[in-house]
Amino acid sequence: MSQVAGLPLRFRFLPLLHEAHTRDGWLSREAVETIARQVRIPLAEAWEAATSFPEFRFAAGGGDGGGCGGLSCVVNGAPPSESVHARCRFRCFEAPVSGGEDDFPEEMIRLAGRLLAPDITGWDGLRAASSMGSARALDMIDRAGIRGRGGAYFPAARKWRAALGQGRPLALVINAEEGEPGVFKDRAVLCRRPRRFVEGLAIAVSVLRPAVTVIFINGEAAPARRSVETVIAGAGEVFPGGVEVVPGGGGYVLGEETTLLNALEGRKPAPRLRPPYPVESGLFGMPTVVNNVETIANLSILFREGEAPFLDPDPAAAGGSKLFSVSGRVARPGLYEMPLGTPLRVLLAAAGEKDGAAFAAVLAGGPSGGFLPASEFHRRLVPGLLHPTGAVTGSGGMVVLDTTSDLRAAVLETARFNARESCGKCTPCREGLPRVVESLAEGHTEGLDDLLEVVGAASLCGLGQMAPGPIRSARHFWPELFS
Amino acid sequence: MSLILNGDEVEAGGSVLDAVLAAGIELPHLCKDDNLPAIGACRTCLVEADGRIVAACSFPASMAKRVDTETKTARRIRRGVLELTLAMQAERGDEGGPLAGETASTASREGAAVDRFAVRTGRAVDATSPFFSFHEAACILCGRCVVACQDLQHISAIGLAGRGRDTRVTPGAADTFRESICTSCGSCVAACPTSALRPRGGAE
């Protein structure tokens, strides 16, 4: 076992757990304890970390049944997720699905813009950025106004400057966990356009000069991992400090960046308190930049083609394109690259109605977003809230329901997902969400609004804070649904 | 650095909770030990800071201009969290360590209803240690015992295994405290704000 230069041994904890789990199909106590000793993590701490990843199993045999419980599968006839182990298999474009992950199919790239155009050759963008120098390159990212495509749309240049401003060796962490049901864009980029992403990463490395560069990737996304590892291995001189690719053990809450950092440090994947923010003190206390795969891939476009593609005359749009994952009840599910600010109805028209059934609702932004009825499809997919009751553009996941869909079941499914994905650290999320589910399932909605207020306002991280969105929005637009 | 706290200007250097307690204002803080860093798990110290609901234990006073502990919203949400907390406990006795009963007294001070939510809790009892026992029916998963064991004592015999609703305090991967690496130092019992961890010899 090799130690990553400059990082504590415990950085190896999660990769070793993943390796043992892949080899044996489960993790025995002895396996966890052996790894804990190897990386010098105290036993109880190792056990609490290991048992907090949803994809790790702690008993031999059984398997997970192969089914998928994601919302896109449920609205396409799969049984509700209570009956299957998997929360989502992230192949929502071919729902209902079963079995593990495959290479992302090229034909599911339904509409390609600059990002999804045939993959690049050479490293022209990297050469352009390197010859510019860090300061000028940062100014260029700033001028282009590139914002985080993971869903928060935070200006990338501001985040980078804040980390660089700490004046200490920093860490660059790419979040490729992609744990949101209905989203498969990062997997698509990593499988089908890996050079685009790797060039973006090389540009980030040349500007930030991080002491350590990490790609945290979903533990089940083996095809995406192999694809990106192959390109990185062939790009040797481009990454003088190397790149650590770390597979995880799943969890929607890993979208919360401090949770991701805890996972990388071999700790229980639960959110940290802020401040300090990751740019001040992130991975093992280093100033840390956490960026999404799509954000990084956009850098390759910027340094090849200049700012023009990102300069939208409309200030509401963040500039540039967005990858929209469209699934559920549509004729042509898959990935659509469209300008940020595109009206939802344009995206839906491209995906088309399935079997002639009219669209009835869209879950915009997944379990942390909200439902929109057809009367709201004129809304433009801009960063931030699309409707005050919850719908967001988020990471671009759009799950479509039509007149054949059971909306009530969809809302319930989304609530169940959030309850299951709660890490369990804070009381309102851990205790409140299961009671929200019961209230919805039993149709006893008295006091539900008060409970949603508590969960939303009191929870520690975004998972609990945004969990009320799908329910609030559904109750707003379809008041009779749970009465 | 000064702060307007419930209308009065006060000096504040640390967290909002430090400022609140220094001013002699009562505010629940079930997972915050006086001598350990904030955990931020119990969410009972919520206050309104410049119009936002924040956890006082982890919010730096320097980031707030005006803090109110008793706004209608802050009180309502604190009460809601405490009601969810009470529903984790089938046992609310005050026998046990020095802080046992803190949850019940805090909840009653804040006017939380004990019966808003049906109680649901695990019932495991671990009485294998000669010095203390663990009663899941009183545990609120605040994490104080874990911090005391892992960060203060550097023993790491206790952890919060599992996730979501399945989270529970366990003696690491061991089945019982007797089989674990616990040294019976007593720090977890001293940190517990309920009667979940009780010294033996007293009421059990």
Side-chain angles (χ1 to χ4, degrees):
Chain A
M1 184 192 61
S2 64
Q3 185 168 357
V4 178
L7 293 185
L9 262 177
R10 59 187 302 152
F11 182 70
R12 280 278 165 242
F13 183 60
L14 189 51
L16 287 171
L17 281 184
H18 182 269
E19 191 183 301
H21 193 269
T22 307
R23 185 188 59 228
D24 303 337
W26 65 295
L27 292 170
S28 65
R29 287 180 184 191
E30 293 69 32
V32 175
E33 290 184 354
T34 304
I35 294 169
R37 284 200 187 87
Q38 266 181 290
V39 299
R40 301 198 192 159
I41 297 182
L43 294 182
E45 210 189 324
W47 187 248
E48 66 174 11
T51 56
S52 299
F53 288 98
E55 282 163 12
F56 290 157
R57 295 160 31 78
F58 294 87
D64 62 11
C68 177
L71 181 57
S72 310
C73 285
V74 170
V75 299
N76 278 298
S81 65
E82 304 159 275
S83 51
V84 293
H85 171 82
R87 300 146 313 279
C88 186
R89 293 185 183 276
F90 306 102
R91 283 159 48 211
C92 324
F93 44 82
E94 49 190 4
V97 304
S98 65
E101 295 201 14
D102 293 327
D103 203 5
F104 187 88
E106 182 72 29
E107 64 272 21
M108 284 301 156
I109 296 179
R110 301 281 187 178
L111 184 65
R114 286 183 167 83
L115 188 48
L116 294 177
D119 210 0
I120 56 168
T121 55
W123 305 112
D124 297 349
L126 172 62
R127 253 192 302 280
S130 305
S131 66
M132 229 177 247
S134 287
R136 279 179 58 213
L138 257 171
D139 286 342
M140 180 139 164
I141 297 167
D142 212 353
R143 278 198 307 276
I146 291 183
R147 297 210 239 166
R149 266 33 176 197
Y153 297 94
F154 192 84
R158 239 167 82 195
K159 189 185 273 187
W160 289 22
R161 287 206 165 102
L164 287 165
Q166 304 291 314
R168 293 184 287 135
L170 57 84
L172 172 61
V173 174
I174 307 306
N175 189 349
E177 162 59 26
E178 196 165 54
E180 178 182 318
V183 178
F184 37 79
K185 68 185 179 75
D186 293 341
R187 285 168 170 82
V189 170
L190 296 177
C191 284
R192 312 300 326 185
R193 306 293 183 263
R195 295 183 63 87
R196 183 60 96 178
F197 164 73
V198 170
E199 180 171 76
L201 183 62
I203 292 167
V205 167
S206 81
V207 175
L208 290 166
R209 306 235 168 250
V212 55
T213 304
V214 180
I215 303 173
F216 184 95
I217 195 159
N218 189 293
E220 310 226 315
R225 192 170 80 244
R226 278 194 299 269
S227 167
V228 78
E229 279 175 342
T230 305
V231 175
I232 288 171
E237 77 284 1
V238 164
F239 296 104
V243 178
E244 296 298 321
V245 181
V246 177
Y252 180 48
V253 70
L254 293 170
E256 197 286 320
E257 57 189 0
T258 64
T259 306
L260 182 85
L261 296 173
N262 274 349
L264 283 170
E265 291 185 8
R267 300 180 202 283
K268 189 174 173 76
R272 299 178 182 174
L273 300 172
R274 303 164 188 241
Y277 294 89
V279 289
E280 300 158 345
S281 176
L283 187 67
F284 295 112
M286 288 185 278
T288 300
V289 167
V290 182
N291 278 141
N292 176 262
V293 168
E294 186 185 350
T295 314
I296 290 294
N298 268 291
L299 296 174
S300 162
I301 299 173
L302 174 63
F303 285 93
R304 279 169 180 253
E305 302 182 39
E307 292 114 294
F310 297 92
L311 297 180
D312 193 308
D314 179 354
S321 70
K322 179 78 192 87
L323 304 183
F324 294 102
S325 308
V326 184
S327 67
R329 298 288 302 171
V330 292
R332 291 173 296 278
L335 203 54
Y336 292 80
E337 182 178 359
M338 288 188 173
L340 264 167
T342 299
L344 177 55
R345 62 175 162 69
V346 173
L347 179 62
L348 293 177
E353 291 172 352
K354 188 173 186 176
D355 307 327
F359 294 142
V362 169
L363 175 61
S368 301
F371 287 91
L372 291 173
S375 59
E376 300 289 329
F377 289 174
H378 62 280
R379 292 190 180 266
R380 301 174 57 196
L381 297 165
V382 294
L385 276 173
L386 302 176
H387 191 276
T389 55
V392 292
T393 298
S395 57
M398 302 289 150
V399 181
V400 183
L401 280 66
D402 64 18
T403 50
T404 71
S405 310
D406 183 344
L407 181 58
R408 195 171 181 277
V411 176
L412 196 52
E413 181 52 48
T414 309
R416 283 204 179 104
F417 177 86
N418 280 322
R420 250 189 339 258
E421 292 297 314
S422 168
C423 79
K425 176 170 178 176
C426 79
T427 303
C429 180
R430 181 192 63 237
E431 303 300 321
L433 288 176
R435 293 177 194 272
V436 168
V437 171
E438 279 157 32
S439 163
L440 292 173
E442 291 161 12
H444 295 150
T445 53
E446 215 185 294
L448 177 59
D449 291 330
D450 292 340
L451 180 55
L452 290 175
E453 184 198 26
V454 170
V455 173
S459 290
L460 169 57
C461 84
L463 192 149
Q465 288 164 10
M466 297 178 81
I471 303 156
R472 244 182 221 146
S473 55
R475 276 160 59 78
H476 173 80
F477 291 115
W478 296 273
E480 70 296 343
L481 204 57
F482 289 97
S483 59
Chain B
M1 200 69 87
S2 71
L3 170 73
I4 308 292
L5 175 60
N6 289 357
D8 297 325
E9 187 167 342
V10 298
E11 288 302 310
S15 70
V16 167
L17 181 63
D18 292 338
V20 167
L21 297 180
I25 298 167
E26 283 194 336
L27 184 67
H29 51 283
L30 292 176
C31 73
K32 176 68 180 80
D33 188 288
D34 290 345
N35 300 304
L36 289 172
I39 300 173
C42 77
R43 315 308 286 172
T44 59
C45 68
L46 301 176
V47 297
E48 221 168 299
D50 303 315
R52 282 170 58 206
I53 296 291
V54 303
C57 67
S58 57
F59 201 80
S62 60
M63 283 172 66
K65 288 190 184 69
R66 189 193 159 86
V67 169
D68 291 286
T69 61
E70 303 304 316
T71 66
K72 262 172 105 167
T73 311
R75 286 190 61 86
R76 184 173 67 244
I77 291 171
R78 280 208 301 271
R79 211 159 46 226
V81 174
L82 283 164
E83 284 161 347
L84 286 167
T85 309
L86 288 172
M88 298 176 70
Q89 294 186 298
E91 294 178 18
R92 301 198 186 102
D94 57 5
E95 69 281 13
L99 299 174
E102 184 110 333
T103 304
S105 61
T106 297
S108 106
R109 207 167 54 233
E110 290 280 315
V114 293
D115 56 353
R116 175 165 167 197
F117 302 105
V119 170
R120 192 173 15 200
T121 174
R123 305 274 172 167
V125 174
D126 183 340
T128 61
S129 161
F131 299 101
F132 68 91
S133 56
F134 171 69
H135 303 256
E136 196 179 12
C139 179
I140 59 166
L141 296 172
C142 67
R144 285 171 69 149
C145 56
V146 176
V147 173
C149 185
Q150 293 188 6
D151 300 349
L152 183 67
Q153 297 291 354
H154 292 282
I155 295 166
S156 203
I158 302 186
L160 287 165
R163 56 200 292 273
R165 202 60 178 287
D166 297 327
T167 307
R168 49 183 44 86
V169 169
T170 71
D175 288 321
T176 64
F177 280 105
R178 184 192 280 276
E179 294 164 21
S180 78
I181 56 173
C182 171
T183 63
S184 299
C185 74
S187 287
C188 60
V189 177
C192 180
T194 74
S195 54
L197 284 158
R198 303 173 197 173
R200 294 197 75 163
E204 280 179 24

